[in-house]
């Protein structure tokens, strides 16, 4: 694992994210750019356009630090815990309604 391989991998991941954002903005599609970026990465890896070694070191570091990346979201939930508790019934009903429609294929 060298600094060059990590920087190259991060540059590839950021480029895919950037392409995803531009593509979705240009077509006015409501879709998460990060998810499209992951799909593009998978396709490019499977077709051999991008070699696994090109992004392996950057991905290893990101996976190792994944817990730290979720920490801000967890802290935010703690900060808004009183609101979440107050709206828990509405959240539960909305979630149940969404899941019911999802399983019937009505979305």
């Amino acid at each position: 694992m060298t600094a060059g391989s990590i920087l190259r991998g991060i540059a590839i991941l950021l480029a895919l994210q950037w392409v995803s954002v531009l593509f979705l903005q240009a077509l006015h599609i409501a879709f998460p750019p990060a998810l499209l970026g992951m799909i593009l990465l998978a396709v490019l890896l499977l077709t051999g356009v991008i070699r696994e070694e090109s992004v392996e070191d950057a991905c290893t570091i990101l996976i190792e630090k994944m817990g730290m990346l979720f920490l801000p979201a967890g802290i935010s939930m703690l900060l808004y815990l009183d609101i979440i508790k107050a709206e828990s019934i509405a959240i539960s009903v909305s979630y149940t309604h969404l899941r019911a429609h999802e399983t019937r294929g009505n979305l």
Side-chain angles (χ1 to χ4, degrees), residues 75-87:
I75 291 171
S76 294
M77 286 188 67
L78 290 175
L79 290 174
Y80 294 102
L81 196 55
D82 55 334
I83 296 171
I84 293 171
K85 283 181 182 177
E87 300 295 332

Side-chain angles (χ1 to χ4, degrees), residues 6-59:
I6 294 168
L7 288 174
R8 181 178 50 249
I10 290 173
I12 291 170
L13 296 175
L14 288 174
L16 289 172
Q17 175 70 17
W18 181 67
V19 168
S20 300
V21 169
L22 290 179
F23 178 78
L24 293 171
Q25 284 178 347
L27 297 178
H28 304 289
I29 298 173
F31 191 80
L35 183 56
L36 180 59
M38 286 188 282
I39 292 169
L40 286 174
L41 177 62
V43 168
L44 293 173
L45 286 168
L46 290 170
T47 58
V49 174
I50 295 177
R51 291 190 343 235
E52 184 179 331
E53 299 83 31
S54 300
V55 293
E56 184 175 16
D57 291 342
C59 291

Side-chain angles (χ1 to χ4, degrees), residues 50-104:
I50 295 177
R51 291 190 343 235
E52 184 179 331
E53 299 83 31
S54 300
V55 293
E56 184 175 16
D57 291 342
C59 291
T60 299
I61 289 174
L62 288 172
I63 289 170
E64 287 173 356
K65 307 298 180 203
M66 192 178 298
M68 181 183 68
L69 297 172
F70 282 102
L71 189 61
I75 291 171
S76 294
M77 286 188 67
L78 290 175
L79 290 174
Y80 294 102
L81 196 55
D82 55 334
I83 296 171
I84 293 171
K85 283 181 182 177
E87 300 295 332
S88 61
I89 293 174
I91 292 169
S92 298
V93 169
S94 297
Y95 178 76
T96 305
H97 182 70
L98 178 67
R99 294 294 297 166
H101 282 286
E102 228 175 47
T103 53
R104 282 190 258 149

